[in-house]
């Protein structure tokens, strides 16, 4: 009798417990759903970072500081006049006050932007009057509160052709600049702020770099990765990703091959992000099969012994515009444009929680062809994706790190938006910016204050 009574009590207690758990689960699910819904409602009204221009606008880059300040770096140019481009910077205070746009002389192009404390650090490219950028890469420090532009410091000279760059803030206020042109890949590291030491060439003679990526790692170290191949400009097909790791006291120097793809395949785009003390590398790989059909997929691997390669994208679609980011703890996200042969395109993502594996690819919705998505992962692991849909800037935010994204939010009914950029900062704030308009384009931004 006692056993049966106890059993009945246990069953009733179990039912009550399950009811409470069910209610708690429902509330938790509603809470997560509410977070996702709230995430799409926190974007503020659009504001101008640069008024309408008679010149063309170069794509914006963004940086956020620990106090909520923001920097938007972009450029103006006349596409019909060689050497007419000009680097421009607009600052936004923690209270939302806008200063700029401010011309950054002698920068023809801003290659990278990052905060180092309260200072805005710029990696810029310059060239002689009438010549297309870039012949030199310089570092310029801008006071984050007053906008006072410091003296340019030349980091690398003797450049030629299209120039790309990455600028990282490392531990203890150190900076790492990586610069790539058709002549090679250079790195320069500072001991503090913009006090850069001498340059170091990472590539061998005859190599032609075509893609560049860089990321901070733990304990002040860093990783710079690139693709390079031999051959004439525009005709070299890189099959490998090379990389070099730097330390707190030394810029990256020792080069090793990180990834090699089969003969007949080509690496088009790359990305790197921290994975604990190591890193993960992603790439877009393309090839033609025996029937002449074209393939393009996104793949990823950890830079650890015996790590396997995982294909993130669908094999029956064409992947491009790869973006990859992560936080210091190892939360990661990848985003890319996934298209059919008829140019029907979507933004696809794959996310990974620290210590876990990449989940299956998920679509966030339609995107305009030839408009790569933008991606940022905040210091607490939440990811933000931005893209252009039917000419409008759109964004989606993760409800929680490693989970799916909430519904897309249209940031502005622009109709003619291009080149969206996004950044997630440490103060629960995210920023999106894009160029808007055709005849007289402007630069427009908006802030999510509850990211």
């Amino acid at each position: 009798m006692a056993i049966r009574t106890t059993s009945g009590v246990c069953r009733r207690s179990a039912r009550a417990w399950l009811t409470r758990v069910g209610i708690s689960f429902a509330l938790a699910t509603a809470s997560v759903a509410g977070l996702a819904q709230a995430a799409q409602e926190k974007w503020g009204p659009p504001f101008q970072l640069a008024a309408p221009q008679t010149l063309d606008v170069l794509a914006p880059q963004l940086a956020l500081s620990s106090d909520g300040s923001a920097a938007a770096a972009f450029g103006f140019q006349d596409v019909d006049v060689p050497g007419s481009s000009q680097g421009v910077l607009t600052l936004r205070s923690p209270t939302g006050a806008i200063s700029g746009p401010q011309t950054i002389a002698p920068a023809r192009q801003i290659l990278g932007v990052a905060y180092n404390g309260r200072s805005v650090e710029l990696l810029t490219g310059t060239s002689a009057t009438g010549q297309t950028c870039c012949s030199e890469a310089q570092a310029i420090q801008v006071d984050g509160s007053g906008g006072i532009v410091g003296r340019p410091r030349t980091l690398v000279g003797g450049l030629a052709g299209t120039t790309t760059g990455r600028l990282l803030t490392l531990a203890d206020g150190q900076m790492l600049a990586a610069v790539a042109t058709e002549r090679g890949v250079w790195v320069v590291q500072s001991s503090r702020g913009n006090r850069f030491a001498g340059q170091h060439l990472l590539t061998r003679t005859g190599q032609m770099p075509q893609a560049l990526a860089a990321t901070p790692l733990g304990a002040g170290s860093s990783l710079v990765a690139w693709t390079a191949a031999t051959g004439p400009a525009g005709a070299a097909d890189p099959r490998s990703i090379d990389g070099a790791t730097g330390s707190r006291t030394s810029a990256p120097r020792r080069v090793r091959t990180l990834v090699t793809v089969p003969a007949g395949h080509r690496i088009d785009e790359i990305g790197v992000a921290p994975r604990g003390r190591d890193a993960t590398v992603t790439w877009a790989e393309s090839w033609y099969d025996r029937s002449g059909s074209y393939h393009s997929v996104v793949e990823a691997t950890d830079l650890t012994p015996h790590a396997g390669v995982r294909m993130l994208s669908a094999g029956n679609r064409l992947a491009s515009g790869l973006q990859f980011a992560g936080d210091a703890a190892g939360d990661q996200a990848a985003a890319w444009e996934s298209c059919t042969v008829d140019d029907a395109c979507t933004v696809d993502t794959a996310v990974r929680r620290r210590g876990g594996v990449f989940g299956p690819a998920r679509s966030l919705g339609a995107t305009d062809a030839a408009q790569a998505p933008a991606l940022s992962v905040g210091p607490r692991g939440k990811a933000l994706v931005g893209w252009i849909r039917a000419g409008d800037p759109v964004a989606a935010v993760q409800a929680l790190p490693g989970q799916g994204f909430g519904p897309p939010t249209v940031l502005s009914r622009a109709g003619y938006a291009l080149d969206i950029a996004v950044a997630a900062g440490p103060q629960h704030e995210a920023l999106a910016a894009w160029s808007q308009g055709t005849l007289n384009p402007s630069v427009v931004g908006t802030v999510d204050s509850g990211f």
Side-chain angles (χ1 to χ4, degrees):
M1 179 71 65
I3 294 177
R4 286 196 296 270
T5 303
T6 304
S7 177
V9 171
C10 287
R11 282 196 296 271
R12 289 193 298 271
S13 299
R15 283 196 297 270
W17 179 80
L18 288 172
T19 300
R20 290 194 299 269
V21 170
I23 293 172
S24 299
F25 179 79
L27 290 173
T29 303
S31 176
V32 170
L35 284 173
Q37 183 68 23
Q40 69 169 335
E41 296 174 348
K42 290 181 179 129
W43 291 100
F47 52 85
Q48 284 191 343
L49 294 166
Q53 305 288 319
T54 58
L55 301 175
D56 296 299
V57 175
L58 300 178
Q61 302 178 64
L62 303 175
L64 294 175
S65 75
S66 58
D67 68 355
S69 301
F74 44 96
F76 301 136
Q77 70 171 356
D78 185 339
V79 294
D80 297 321
V81 180
S84 65
S85 61
Q86 179 63 64
V88 178
L89 180 70
T90 295
L91 301 178
R92 181 181 183 273
S93 73
T95 61
I98 300 294
S99 60
Q102 180 178 10
T103 298
I104 304 298
R108 297 287 184 189
Q109 184 178 341
I110 297 180
L111 306 174
V113 55
Y115 271 94
N116 192 343
R118 295 184 177 180
S119 297
V120 180
E121 305 286 349
L122 301 176
L123 175 62
T124 67
T126 188
S127 59
T129 302
Q131 294 185 1
T132 302
C133 195
C134 303
S135 59
E136 287 187 349
Q138 298 181 329
I140 299 178
Q141 187 177 71
V142 181
D143 176 65
S145 56
I148 300 173
V149 180
R151 180 178 59 88
R153 300 189 59 182
T154 297
L155 303 183
V156 184
L159 306 179
T162 301
T163 305
T164 58
R166 299 291 184 271
L167 185 64
L168 306 179
T169 302
L170 306 178
D172 300 329
Q174 298 161 298
M175 304 290 296
L176 175 68
V179 178
T181 73
E182 63 184 45
R183 293 185 176 177
V185 175
W186 289 264
V187 289
V188 189
Q189 187 162 313
S190 74
S191 58
R192 189 173 184 84
N194 67 347
R195 301 175 184 174
F196 287 92
Q199 61 177 300
H200 182 71
L201 178 64
L202 295 176
T203 49
R204 299 186 301 272
T205 301
Q207 284 189 316
M208 188 168 296
Q210 298 190 29
L212 177 69
T215 185
L217 301 177
S221 59
S222 59
L223 171 67
V224 176
W226 64 93
T227 63
T230 58
D237 292 329
R239 289 182 47 221
S240 63
I241 302 173
D242 291 337
T245 302
S247 68
R248 184 188 295 271
T249 58
S250 175
R253 290 180 180 270
R254 182 176 297 179
V255 178
R256 61 190 176 107
T257 298
L258 308 178
V259 172
T260 301
V261 300
H265 291 218
R266 170 191 169 93
I267 298 176
D268 300 303
E269 300 161 338
I270 62 173
V272 292
R275 177 72 170 163
R277 298 195 176 198
D278 299 302
T280 303
V281 59
T282 57
W283 65 96
E285 179 180 337
S286 61
W287 71 95
Y288 287 92
D289 63 21
R290 293 182 179 179
S291 68
S293 298
Y294 180 74
H295 301 268
S296 179
V297 299
V298 172
E299 298 191 291
T301 187
D302 294 328
L303 299 182
T304 54
H306 313 297
V309 174
R310 171 150 187 179
M311 185 162 60
L312 302 183
S313 63
N316 61 347
R317 295 176 67 91
L318 305 179
S320 63
L322 171 64
Q323 307 294 317
F324 185 50
D327 67 0
D331 297 299
Q332 297 174 343
W336 62 91
E337 187 178 46
S338 177
C339 300
T340 67
V341 293
D342 298 321
D343 282 340
C345 302
T346 59
V347 171
D348 288 3
T349 63
V351 298
R352 183 186 199 186
R353 185 64 169 150
R354 63 190 71 174
V357 298
F358 281 104
R362 303 294 186 190
S363 174
L364 298 182
T367 184
D368 293 354
Q371 281 291 301
L375 170 69
S376 182
V377 175
R380 288 172 292 276
K382 285 177 60 178
L384 164 66
V385 178
W387 68 98
I388 305 297
R389 184 181 68 194
D392 294 335
V394 181
V397 177
Q398 280 182 311
L400 294 170
Q403 295 189 359
F405 288 81
T409 300
V410 177
L411 305 179
S412 172
R413 296 294 181 183
Y416 296 99
L418 295 170
D419 300 326
I420 190 169
V422 297
Q427 296 298 321
H428 296 282
E429 189 172 69
L431 174 65
W434 58 91
S435 63
Q436 183 169 307
T438 53
L439 184 61
N440 299 110
S442 58
V443 181
V444 178
T446 181
V447 170
D448 180 348
S449 58
F451 181 83

